[in-house]
Short mmCIF file of all heavy atoms in Angstrom, two decimals:
data_model
loop_
_atom_site.label_atom_id
_atom_site.label_comp_id
_atom_site.label_asym_id
_atom_site.label_seq_id
_atom_site.Cartn_x
_atom_site.Cartn_y
_atom_site.Cartn_z
N SER J 1127 -26.52 -73.82 60.03
CA SER J 1127 -25.52 -74.58 60.76
C SER J 1127 -25.54 -76.04 60.35
O SER J 1127 -26.47 -76.50 59.70
CB SER J 1127 -25.79 -74.49 62.28
OG SER J 1127 -26.87 -75.34 62.63
N SER J 1128 -24.50 -76.76 60.65
CA SER J 1128 -24.40 -78.19 60.28
C SER J 1128 -25.28 -79.04 61.18
O SER J 1128 -25.43 -80.23 60.94
CB SER J 1128 -22.96 -78.67 60.39
OG SER J 1128 -22.46 -78.48 61.71
N LYS J 1129 -25.93 -78.43 62.18
CA LYS J 1129 -26.82 -79.21 63.06
C LYS J 1129 -28.22 -79.39 62.46
O LYS J 1129 -29.01 -80.19 62.99
CB LYS J 1129 -26.97 -78.51 64.40
CG LYS J 1129 -25.67 -78.42 65.22
CD LYS J 1129 -25.89 -77.74 66.56
CE LYS J 1129 -24.64 -77.74 67.40
NZ LYS J 1129 -23.56 -76.94 66.82
N PHE J 1130 -28.51 -78.69 61.39
CA PHE J 1130 -29.84 -78.81 60.79
C PHE J 1130 -30.02 -80.17 60.12
O PHE J 1130 -29.16 -80.64 59.40
CB PHE J 1130 -30.05 -77.71 59.73
CG PHE J 1130 -31.35 -77.81 59.00
CD1 PHE J 1130 -32.55 -77.42 59.59
CD2 PHE J 1130 -31.40 -78.36 57.71
CE1 PHE J 1130 -33.76 -77.52 58.90
CE2 PHE J 1130 -32.58 -78.47 57.03
CZ PHE J 1130 -33.76 -78.06 57.61
N GLU J 1131 -31.17 -80.82 60.39
CA GLU J 1131 -31.52 -82.10 59.78
C GLU J 1131 -32.82 -81.94 59.02
O GLU J 1131 -33.83 -81.57 59.57
CB GLU J 1131 -31.69 -83.17 60.87
CG GLU J 1131 -30.52 -83.35 61.81
CD GLU J 1131 -30.84 -84.33 62.91
OE1 GLU J 1131 -31.48 -85.35 62.63
OE2 GLU J 1131 -30.46 -84.07 64.07
N ALA J 1132 -32.76 -82.21 57.72
CA ALA J 1132 -33.95 -82.05 56.88
C ALA J 1132 -35.08 -82.94 57.31
O ALA J 1132 -36.24 -82.55 57.26
CB ALA J 1132 -33.57 -82.32 55.42
N GLU J 1133 -34.76 -84.19 57.72
CA GLU J 1133 -35.84 -85.12 58.10
C GLU J 1133 -36.38 -84.81 59.47
O GLU J 1133 -37.53 -85.18 59.78
CB GLU J 1133 -35.29 -86.56 58.09
CG GLU J 1133 -34.89 -87.08 56.71
CD GLU J 1133 -33.46 -86.69 56.37
OE1 GLU J 1133 -32.83 -85.98 57.20
OE2 GLU J 1133 -32.96 -87.07 55.30
N SER J 1134 -35.62 -84.14 60.32
CA SER J 1134 -36.08 -83.83 61.67
C SER J 1134 -35.58 -82.43 62.03
O SER J 1134 -34.62 -82.26 62.78
CB SER J 1134 -35.56 -84.86 62.65
OG SER J 1134 -36.01 -84.57 63.95
N PRO J 1135 -36.21 -81.40 61.48
CA PRO J 1135 -35.72 -80.03 61.66
C PRO J 1135 -35.85 -79.44 63.05
O PRO J 1135 -35.23 -78.45 63.38
CB PRO J 1135 -36.51 -79.23 60.63
CG PRO J 1135 -37.78 -79.99 60.46
CD PRO J 1135 -37.41 -81.42 60.61
N GLY J 1136 -36.72 -80.03 63.88
CA GLY J 1136 -36.91 -79.54 65.22
C GLY J 1136 -38.14 -78.64 65.36
O GLY J 1136 -38.73 -78.20 64.36
N SER J 1137 -38.49 -78.32 66.62
CA SER J 1137 -39.71 -77.61 66.88
C SER J 1137 -39.66 -76.15 66.46
O SER J 1137 -40.72 -75.52 66.36
CB SER J 1137 -40.04 -77.70 68.38
OG SER J 1137 -38.99 -77.12 69.15
N VAL J 1138 -38.50 -75.61 66.18
CA VAL J 1138 -38.43 -74.23 65.75
C VAL J 1138 -39.00 -74.02 64.36
O VAL J 1138 -39.46 -72.94 64.00
CB VAL J 1138 -36.96 -73.72 65.80
CG1 VAL J 1138 -36.11 -74.37 64.75
CG2 VAL J 1138 -36.90 -72.21 65.69
N PHE J 1139 -39.04 -75.12 63.56
CA PHE J 1139 -39.63 -75.07 62.24
C PHE J 1139 -41.05 -75.69 62.29
O PHE J 1139 -41.37 -76.43 63.21
CB PHE J 1139 -38.78 -75.84 61.23
CG PHE J 1139 -37.51 -75.13 60.86
CD1 PHE J 1139 -36.30 -75.48 61.47
CD2 PHE J 1139 -37.51 -74.14 59.93
CE1 PHE J 1139 -35.13 -74.82 61.13
CE2 PHE J 1139 -36.34 -73.48 59.58
CZ PHE J 1139 -35.13 -73.81 60.19
N PRO J 1140 -41.89 -75.37 61.32
CA PRO J 1140 -43.29 -75.89 61.31
C PRO J 1140 -43.28 -77.43 61.35
O PRO J 1140 -42.44 -78.09 60.78
CB PRO J 1140 -43.86 -75.36 59.99
CG PRO J 1140 -43.05 -74.16 59.67
CD PRO J 1140 -41.68 -74.44 60.17
N SER J 1141 -44.29 -77.97 62.03
CA SER J 1141 -44.39 -79.43 62.18
C SER J 1141 -44.65 -80.09 60.82
O SER J 1141 -44.39 -81.28 60.68
CB SER J 1141 -45.49 -79.79 63.17
OG SER J 1141 -46.74 -79.25 62.72
N THR J 1142 -45.16 -79.33 59.85
CA THR J 1142 -45.40 -79.92 58.52
C THR J 1142 -44.09 -80.28 57.85
O THR J 1142 -44.13 -81.04 56.89
CB THR J 1142 -46.17 -78.92 57.65
OG1 THR J 1142 -45.49 -77.65 57.62
CG2 THR J 1142 -47.60 -78.72 58.19
N TRP J 1143 -43.00 -79.74 58.31
CA TRP J 1143 -41.69 -80.13 57.72
C TRP J 1143 -41.30 -81.55 58.15
O TRP J 1143 -40.47 -82.17 57.49
CB TRP J 1143 -40.59 -79.16 58.17
CG TRP J 1143 -40.61 -77.87 57.43
CD1 TRP J 1143 -41.67 -77.27 56.84
CD2 TRP J 1143 -39.49 -76.98 57.23
NE1 TRP J 1143 -41.29 -76.06 56.27
CE2 TRP J 1143 -39.99 -75.87 56.50
CE3 TRP J 1143 -38.17 -77.03 57.59
CZ2 TRP J 1143 -39.14 -74.83 56.12
CZ3 TRP J 1143 -37.34 -75.98 57.21
CH2 TRP J 1143 -37.81 -74.91 56.47
N THR J 1144 -41.84 -82.02 59.24
CA THR J 1144 -41.55 -83.33 59.72
C THR J 1144 -42.58 -84.30 59.18
O THR J 1144 -43.75 -84.11 59.38
CB THR J 1144 -41.53 -83.41 61.26
OG1 THR J 1144 -40.59 -82.45 61.74
CG2 THR J 1144 -41.16 -84.79 61.74
N SER J 1145 -42.12 -85.31 58.50
CA SER J 1145 -43.06 -86.26 57.88
C SER J 1145 -43.82 -87.01 58.92
O SER J 1145 -43.35 -87.27 60.04
CB SER J 1145 -42.27 -87.23 56.99
OG SER J 1145 -43.12 -88.24 56.51
N GLY J 1146 -45.07 -87.39 58.56
CA GLY J 1146 -45.87 -88.23 59.43
C GLY J 1146 -45.32 -89.65 59.50
O GLY J 1146 -45.77 -90.49 60.29
N VAL J 1147 -44.33 -89.94 58.66
CA VAL J 1147 -43.67 -91.25 58.66
C VAL J 1147 -42.22 -90.99 58.96
O VAL J 1147 -41.55 -90.23 58.25
CB VAL J 1147 -43.80 -91.97 57.31
CG1 VAL J 1147 -43.13 -93.31 57.35
CG2 VAL J 1147 -45.25 -92.12 56.93
N GLN J 1148 -41.65 -91.57 60.03
CA GLN J 1148 -40.27 -91.37 60.38
C GLN J 1148 -39.53 -92.70 60.37
O GLN J 1148 -40.13 -93.77 60.63
CB GLN J 1148 -40.18 -90.73 61.77
CG GLN J 1148 -40.73 -89.31 61.81
CD GLN J 1148 -40.48 -88.65 63.14
OE1 GLN J 1148 -39.89 -89.25 64.03
NE2 GLN J 1148 -40.93 -87.41 63.27
N VAL J 1149 -38.23 -92.61 60.06
CA VAL J 1149 -37.39 -93.78 59.97
C VAL J 1149 -36.55 -93.89 61.23
O VAL J 1149 -35.92 -92.93 61.66
CB VAL J 1149 -36.48 -93.70 58.74
CG1 VAL J 1149 -35.58 -94.94 58.66
CG2 VAL J 1149 -37.29 -93.60 57.49
N GLY J 1150 -36.57 -95.09 61.84
CA GLY J 1150 -35.85 -95.30 63.07
C GLY J 1150 -34.36 -95.36 62.92
O GLY J 1150 -33.62 -95.10 63.86
N VAL J 1151 -33.87 -95.73 61.75
CA VAL J 1151 -32.43 -95.75 61.43
C VAL J 1151 -32.19 -94.81 60.30
O VAL J 1151 -32.89 -94.87 59.28
CB VAL J 1151 -31.95 -97.18 61.07
CG1 VAL J 1151 -30.50 -97.15 60.59
CG2 VAL J 1151 -32.10 -98.10 62.27
N ARG J 1152 -31.23 -93.92 60.43
CA ARG J 1152 -31.01 -92.93 59.40
C ARG J 1152 -30.56 -93.55 58.09
O ARG J 1152 -29.65 -94.37 58.07
CB ARG J 1152 -29.99 -91.90 59.85
CG ARG J 1152 -29.81 -90.79 58.86
CD ARG J 1152 -29.19 -89.59 59.48
NE ARG J 1152 -29.99 -89.14 60.61
CZ ARG J 1152 -31.00 -88.32 60.50
NH1 ARG J 1152 -31.35 -87.87 59.34
NH2 ARG J 1152 -31.66 -87.96 61.57
N ALA J 1153 -31.25 -93.14 57.04
CA ALA J 1153 -30.87 -93.64 55.71
C ALA J 1153 -29.61 -92.93 55.24
O ALA J 1153 -29.21 -91.88 55.74
CB ALA J 1153 -31.99 -93.39 54.74
N PRO J 1154 -28.92 -93.48 54.24
CA PRO J 1154 -27.65 -92.93 53.78
C PRO J 1154 -27.85 -91.59 53.11
O PRO J 1154 -28.88 -91.33 52.50
CB PRO J 1154 -27.14 -93.96 52.80
CG PRO J 1154 -28.36 -94.61 52.28
CD PRO J 1154 -29.30 -94.67 53.46
N THR J 1155 -26.83 -90.73 53.19
CA THR J 1155 -26.86 -89.48 52.46
C THR J 1155 -26.10 -89.66 51.15
O THR J 1155 -25.23 -90.53 51.04
CB THR J 1155 -26.15 -88.38 53.27
OG1 THR J 1155 -24.80 -88.76 53.47
CG2 THR J 1155 -26.83 -88.19 54.61
N LYS J 1156 -26.42 -88.86 50.20
CA LYS J 1156 -25.76 -88.97 48.89
C LYS J 1156 -24.31 -88.53 48.99
O LYS J 1156 -23.51 -88.86 48.16
CB LYS J 1156 -26.51 -88.14 47.85
CG LYS J 1156 -27.90 -88.68 47.55
CD LYS J 1156 -28.60 -87.82 46.55
CE LYS J 1156 -30.04 -88.33 46.28
NZ LYS J 1156 -30.77 -87.47 45.37
N SER J 1157 -24.01 -87.72 49.99
CA SER J 1157 -22.66 -87.21 50.09
C SER J 1157 -21.69 -88.26 50.61
O SER J 1157 -20.54 -88.25 50.29
CB SER J 1157 -22.64 -85.99 51.01
OG SER J 1157 -23.07 -86.36 52.31
N GLY J 1158 -22.18 -89.11 51.49
CA GLY J 1158 -21.33 -90.13 52.08
C GLY J 1158 -20.37 -89.57 53.10
O GLY J 1158 -19.36 -90.21 53.44
N GLY J 1159 -20.57 -88.42 53.65
CA GLY J 1159 -19.67 -87.86 54.62
C GLY J 1159 -20.35 -86.82 55.47
O GLY J 1159 -21.54 -86.66 55.47
N LEU J 1160 -19.51 -86.07 56.26
CA LEU J 1160 -20.03 -85.07 57.17
C LEU J 1160 -19.92 -83.67 56.57
O LEU J 1160 -19.22 -83.45 55.57
CB LEU J 1160 -19.25 -85.15 58.49
CG LEU J 1160 -19.38 -86.46 59.24
CD1 LEU J 1160 -18.55 -86.44 60.48
CD2 LEU J 1160 -20.83 -86.72 59.58
N LEU J 1161 -20.61 -82.72 57.19
CA LEU J 1161 -20.61 -81.35 56.69
C LEU J 1161 -19.55 -80.53 57.35
O LEU J 1161 -19.43 -80.49 58.58
CB LEU J 1161 -21.98 -80.73 56.97
CG LEU J 1161 -23.19 -81.36 56.26
CD1 LEU J 1161 -24.48 -80.68 56.69
CD2 LEU J 1161 -23.03 -81.28 54.76
N GLN J 1162 -18.77 -79.85 56.53
CA GLN J 1162 -17.71 -78.96 57.01
C GLN J 1162 -17.96 -77.57 56.49
O GLN J 1162 -18.03 -77.38 55.28
CB GLN J 1162 -16.33 -79.48 56.54
CG GLN J 1162 -15.19 -78.65 57.12
CD GLN J 1162 -13.85 -79.24 56.73
OE1 GLN J 1162 -13.79 -80.07 55.84
NE2 GLN J 1162 -12.79 -78.78 57.38
N PRO J 1163 -18.17 -76.58 57.37
CA PRO J 1163 -18.45 -75.21 56.90
C PRO J 1163 -17.30 -74.68 56.02
O PRO J 1163 -16.11 -74.91 56.31
CB PRO J 1163 -18.57 -74.41 58.19
CG PRO J 1163 -18.85 -75.45 59.24
CD PRO J 1163 -18.17 -76.67 58.83
N ARG J 1164 -17.66 -73.94 54.96
CA ARG J 1164 -16.68 -73.34 54.07
C ARG J 1164 -16.93 -71.86 53.95
O ARG J 1164 -17.51 -71.38 52.98
CB ARG J 1164 -16.72 -74.03 52.70
CG ARG J 1164 -16.33 -75.49 52.70
CD ARG J 1164 -14.95 -75.73 53.27
NE ARG J 1164 -13.92 -74.99 52.55
CZ ARG J 1164 -13.15 -75.56 51.59
NH1 ARG J 1164 -13.31 -76.83 51.30
NH2 ARG J 1164 -12.24 -74.84 50.98
N PRO J 1165 -16.51 -71.08 54.91
CA PRO J 1165 -16.69 -69.62 54.84
C PRO J 1165 -15.95 -68.99 53.70
O PRO J 1165 -16.32 -67.93 53.21
CB PRO J 1165 -16.17 -69.14 56.20
CG PRO J 1165 -15.26 -70.19 56.69
CD PRO J 1165 -15.82 -71.48 56.17
N ASP J 1166 -14.86 -69.63 53.21
CA ASP J 1166 -14.15 -69.09 52.09
C ASP J 1166 -14.98 -69.17 50.80
O ASP J 1166 -14.98 -68.27 49.97
CB ASP J 1166 -12.82 -69.81 51.91
CG ASP J 1166 -12.98 -71.33 51.92
OD1 ASP J 1166 -14.04 -71.83 52.28
OD2 ASP J 1166 -12.00 -72.02 51.55
N TYR J 1167 -15.71 -70.29 50.66
CA TYR J 1167 -16.62 -70.42 49.51
C TYR J 1167 -17.80 -69.44 49.64
O TYR J 1167 -18.32 -68.92 48.63
CB TYR J 1167 -17.16 -71.83 49.38
CG TYR J 1167 -16.16 -72.86 48.88
CD1 TYR J 1167 -16.47 -74.21 48.86
CD2 TYR J 1167 -14.88 -72.45 48.46
CE1 TYR J 1167 -15.57 -75.14 48.41
CE2 TYR J 1167 -13.98 -73.40 48.03
CZ TYR J 1167 -14.31 -74.75 47.99
OH TYR J 1167 -13.41 -75.69 47.54
N LEU J 1168 -18.24 -69.21 50.87
CA LEU J 1168 -19.42 -68.39 51.09
C LEU J 1168 -19.18 -66.94 50.62
O LEU J 1168 -20.12 -66.26 50.20
CB LEU J 1168 -19.76 -68.35 52.58
CG LEU J 1168 -21.02 -67.61 53.01
CD1 LEU J 1168 -22.25 -68.17 52.33
CD2 LEU J 1168 -21.19 -67.63 54.52
N LYS J 1169 -17.93 -66.52 50.61
CA LYS J 1169 -17.60 -65.16 50.15
C LYS J 1169 -17.75 -65.02 48.63
O LYS J 1169 -17.85 -63.90 48.14
CB LYS J 1169 -16.19 -64.80 50.57
CG LYS J 1169 -15.99 -64.74 52.09
CD LYS J 1169 -14.54 -64.44 52.42
CE LYS J 1169 -14.30 -64.44 53.93
NZ LYS J 1169 -12.87 -64.18 54.27
N GLN J 1170 -17.75 -66.13 47.92
CA GLN J 1170 -17.79 -66.08 46.45
C GLN J 1170 -19.24 -66.04 45.97
O GLN J 1170 -19.74 -66.94 45.26
CB GLN J 1170 -17.05 -67.30 45.86
CG GLN J 1170 -15.66 -67.50 46.40
CD GLN J 1170 -14.78 -66.28 46.15
OE1 GLN J 1170 -14.85 -65.64 45.08
NE2 GLN J 1170 -13.95 -65.98 47.14
N THR J 1171 -20.00 -65.02 46.42
CA THR J 1171 -21.44 -64.98 46.12
C THR J 1171 -21.73 -64.85 44.62
O THR J 1171 -22.71 -65.41 44.14
CB THR J 1171 -22.06 -63.77 46.87
OG1 THR J 1171 -21.36 -62.60 46.49
CG2 THR J 1171 -21.98 -63.98 48.37
N GLU J 1172 -20.86 -64.16 43.91
CA GLU J 1172 -21.11 -63.99 42.47
C GLU J 1172 -21.08 -65.32 41.74
O GLU J 1172 -21.94 -65.60 40.91
CB GLU J 1172 -20.06 -63.04 41.88
CG GLU J 1172 -20.29 -62.72 40.39
CD GLU J 1172 -19.26 -61.74 39.87
OE1 GLU J 1172 -18.57 -61.11 40.69
OE2 GLU J 1172 -19.15 -61.62 38.64
N ILE J 1173 -20.12 -66.16 42.06
CA ILE J 1173 -20.00 -67.49 41.43
C ILE J 1173 -21.22 -68.32 41.85
O ILE J 1173 -21.81 -69.02 41.02
CB ILE J 1173 -18.68 -68.15 41.82
CG1 ILE J 1173 -17.51 -67.32 41.35
CG2 ILE J 1173 -18.63 -69.56 41.26
CD1 ILE J 1173 -16.17 -67.86 41.80
N LEU J 1174 -21.53 -68.31 43.14
CA LEU J 1174 -22.61 -69.15 43.61
C LEU J 1174 -23.95 -68.76 43.02
O LEU J 1174 -24.76 -69.60 42.61
CB LEU J 1174 -22.69 -69.08 45.13
CG LEU J 1174 -21.51 -69.68 45.90
CD1 LEU J 1174 -21.58 -69.38 47.38
CD2 LEU J 1174 -21.45 -71.22 45.67
N ARG J 1175 -24.21 -67.45 42.93
CA ARG J 1175 -25.50 -67.01 42.35
C ARG J 1175 -25.61 -67.41 40.89
O ARG J 1175 -26.70 -67.74 40.41
CB ARG J 1175 -25.65 -65.50 42.50
CG ARG J 1175 -25.85 -65.04 43.92
CD ARG J 1175 -26.25 -63.59 43.99
NE ARG J 1175 -26.31 -63.13 45.37
CZ ARG J 1175 -27.30 -63.39 46.21
NH1 ARG J 1175 -28.34 -64.11 45.78
NH2 ARG J 1175 -27.28 -62.93 47.46
N GLU J 1176 -24.53 -67.38 40.20
CA GLU J 1176 -24.53 -67.77 38.79
C GLU J 1176 -24.95 -69.24 38.64
O GLU J 1176 -25.73 -69.59 37.74
CB GLU J 1176 -23.14 -67.56 38.19
CG GLU J 1176 -23.01 -67.93 36.71
CD GLU J 1176 -21.62 -67.71 36.20
OE1 GLU J 1176 -20.84 -67.00 36.86
OE2 GLU J 1176 -21.33 -68.26 35.13
N VAL J 1177 -24.50 -70.08 39.54
CA VAL J 1177 -24.82 -71.51 39.46
C VAL J 1177 -26.24 -71.78 39.98
O VAL J 1177 -26.99 -72.55 39.40
CB VAL J 1177 -23.80 -72.34 40.27
CG1 VAL J 1177 -24.16 -73.80 40.28
CG2 VAL J 1177 -22.39 -72.13 39.69
N LEU J 1178 -26.63 -71.10 41.08
CA LEU J 1178 -27.93 -71.33 41.67
C LEU J 1178 -29.08 -70.91 40.76
O LEU J 1178 -30.20 -71.43 40.86
CB LEU J 1178 -28.05 -70.57 43.00
CG LEU J 1178 -27.11 -71.01 44.13
CD1 LEU J 1178 -27.41 -70.20 45.39
CD2 LEU J 1178 -27.23 -72.47 44.43
N ALA J 1179 -28.82 -69.95 39.86
CA ALA J 1179 -29.87 -69.43 38.99
C ALA J 1179 -30.51 -70.52 38.14
O ALA J 1179 -31.69 -70.43 37.79
CB ALA J 1179 -29.31 -68.33 38.11
N SER J 1180 -29.74 -71.56 37.81
CA SER J 1180 -30.30 -72.62 36.92
C SER J 1180 -30.29 -73.99 37.60
O SER J 1180 -30.56 -74.98 36.94
CB SER J 1180 -29.46 -72.67 35.64
OG SER J 1180 -28.08 -72.91 35.94
N ALA J 1181 -30.00 -74.03 38.89
CA ALA J 1181 -29.90 -75.34 39.54
C ALA J 1181 -31.17 -75.65 40.33
O ALA J 1181 -31.74 -74.76 40.98
CB ALA J 1181 -28.70 -75.34 40.52
N PRO J 1182 -31.67 -76.90 40.29
CA PRO J 1182 -32.81 -77.27 41.12
C PRO J 1182 -32.40 -77.49 42.57
O PRO J 1182 -31.28 -77.95 42.82
CB PRO J 1182 -33.28 -78.57 40.47
CG PRO J 1182 -32.05 -79.16 39.88
CD PRO J 1182 -31.20 -78.00 39.44
N ALA J 1183 -33.25 -77.14 43.48
CA ALA J 1183 -32.98 -77.33 44.90
C ALA J 1183 -33.32 -78.75 45.31
O ALA J 1183 -34.38 -79.28 44.95
CB ALA J 1183 -33.74 -76.33 45.75
N GLU J 1184 -32.45 -79.37 46.07
CA GLU J 1184 -32.73 -80.73 46.55
C GLU J 1184 -33.69 -80.68 47.74
O GLU J 1184 -34.47 -81.58 47.97
CB GLU J 1184 -31.42 -81.40 46.96
CG GLU J 1184 -31.60 -82.86 47.36
CD GLU J 1184 -30.28 -83.61 47.41
OE1 GLU J 1184 -29.54 -83.58 46.45
OE2 GLU J 1184 -30.03 -84.21 48.47
N PHE J 1185 -33.63 -79.59 48.50
CA PHE J 1185 -34.54 -79.37 49.62
C PHE J 1185 -35.16 -77.99 49.41
O PHE J 1185 -34.45 -76.99 49.21
CB PHE J 1185 -33.77 -79.41 50.93
CG PHE J 1185 -34.61 -79.10 52.16
CD1 PHE J 1185 -35.27 -80.10 52.83
CD2 PHE J 1185 -34.73 -77.78 52.63
CE1 PHE J 1185 -36.04 -79.81 53.96
CE2 PHE J 1185 -35.49 -77.49 53.74
CZ PHE J 1185 -36.14 -78.51 54.40
N ASP J 1186 -36.49 -77.92 49.42
CA ASP J 1186 -37.18 -76.65 49.12
C ASP J 1186 -38.48 -76.61 49.95
O ASP J 1186 -39.49 -77.24 49.57
CB ASP J 1186 -37.48 -76.53 47.63
CG ASP J 1186 -37.98 -75.14 47.25
OD1 ASP J 1186 -38.27 -74.36 48.15
OD2 ASP J 1186 -38.10 -74.87 46.03
N ARG J 1187 -38.47 -75.90 51.06
CA ARG J 1187 -39.63 -75.83 51.94
C ARG J 1187 -39.93 -74.40 52.33
O ARG J 1187 -39.03 -73.56 52.39
CB ARG J 1187 -39.41 -76.67 53.19
CG ARG J 1187 -39.10 -78.13 52.96
CD ARG J 1187 -40.22 -78.86 52.23
NE ARG J 1187 -41.40 -78.97 53.02
CZ ARG J 1187 -41.68 -79.96 53.86
NH1 ARG J 1187 -40.78 -80.96 54.01
NH2 ARG J 1187 -42.81 -80.02 54.53
N ARG J 1188 -41.20 -74.14 52.64
CA ARG J 1188 -41.63 -72.82 53.13
C ARG J 1188 -42.13 -72.93 54.57
O ARG J 1188 -42.72 -73.95 54.94
CB ARG J 1188 -42.75 -72.24 52.25
CG ARG J 1188 -42.28 -71.73 50.88
CD ARG J 1188 -43.45 -71.04 50.18
NE ARG J 1188 -43.11 -70.61 48.84
CZ ARG J 1188 -42.62 -69.40 48.55
NH1 ARG J 1188 -42.43 -68.53 49.52
NH2 ARG J 1188 -42.36 -69.05 47.30
N THR J 1189 -41.91 -71.89 55.33
CA THR J 1189 -42.47 -71.80 56.67
C THR J 1189 -43.86 -71.19 56.59
O THR J 1189 -44.31 -70.78 55.50
CB THR J 1189 -41.57 -70.98 57.59
OG1 THR J 1189 -41.24 -69.75 56.91
CG2 THR J 1189 -40.30 -71.72 57.90
N GLU J 1190 -44.55 -71.08 57.70
CA GLU J 1190 -45.93 -70.59 57.68
C GLU J 1190 -46.05 -69.14 57.20
O GLU J 1190 -47.08 -68.73 56.66
CB GLU J 1190 -46.60 -70.75 59.06
CG GLU J 1190 -46.07 -69.82 60.14
CD GLU J 1190 -44.79 -70.33 60.74
OE1 GLU J 1190 -44.83 -71.25 61.60
OE2 GLU J 1190 -43.73 -69.80 60.37
N ASP J 1191 -44.96 -68.37 57.34
CA ASP J 1191 -44.97 -66.98 56.86
C ASP J 1191 -44.49 -66.84 55.43
O ASP J 1191 -44.34 -65.73 54.93
CB ASP J 1191 -44.11 -66.12 57.78
CG ASP J 1191 -42.67 -66.59 57.87
OD1 ASP J 1191 -42.41 -67.73 57.48
OD2 ASP J 1191 -41.81 -65.79 58.30
N GLY J 1192 -44.26 -67.94 54.75
CA GLY J 1192 -43.90 -67.94 53.32
C GLY J 1192 -42.41 -67.85 53.06
O GLY J 1192 -42.00 -67.87 51.91
N MET J 1193 -41.57 -67.77 54.10
CA MET J 1193 -40.12 -67.72 53.88
C MET J 1193 -39.67 -69.08 53.29
O MET J 1193 -40.14 -70.14 53.74
CB MET J 1193 -39.37 -67.42 55.15
CG MET J 1193 -39.52 -65.99 55.60
SD MET J 1193 -38.29 -65.50 56.84
CE MET J 1193 -36.79 -65.46 55.87
N ARG J 1194 -38.78 -69.03 52.35
CA ARG J 1194 -38.40 -70.22 51.58
C ARG J 1194 -36.99 -70.64 51.95
O ARG J 1194 -36.05 -69.82 51.86
CB ARG J 1194 -38.52 -69.92 50.10
CG ARG J 1194 -38.51 -71.13 49.19
CD ARG J 1194 -38.89 -70.72 47.80
NE ARG J 1194 -38.97 -71.84 46.89
CZ ARG J 1194 -39.32 -71.75 45.59
NH1 ARG J 1194 -39.62 -70.57 45.08
NH2 ARG J 1194 -39.38 -72.80 44.82
#
Side-chain angles (χ1 to χ4, degrees):
S1127 76
S1128 58
K1129 296 181 175 65
F1130 175 77
E1131 306 175 40
E1133 296 85 357
S1134 182
S1137 59
V1138 70
F1139 287 99
S1141 59
T1142 53
W1143 281 27
T1144 303
S1145 173
V1147 181
Q1148 295 187 359
V1149 179
V1151 173
R1152 183 160 305 272
T1155 62
K1156 294 178 181 177
S1157 61
L1160 298 177
L1161 297 177
Q1162 185 174 14
R1164 296 304 301 262
D1166 49 347
Y1167 287 174
L1168 184 59
K1169 297 177 182 178
Q1170 309 301 321
T1171 55
E1172 183 178 346
I1173 300 175
L1174 292 172
R1175 291 191 186 282
E1176 180 181 344
V1177 177
L1178 295 183
S1180 58
E1184 186 166 307
F1185 175 90
D1186 189 351
R1187 303 298 294 271
R1188 286 186 183 269
T1189 49
E1190 69 280 282
D1191 58 343
M1193 290 195 69
R1194 196 169 182 179

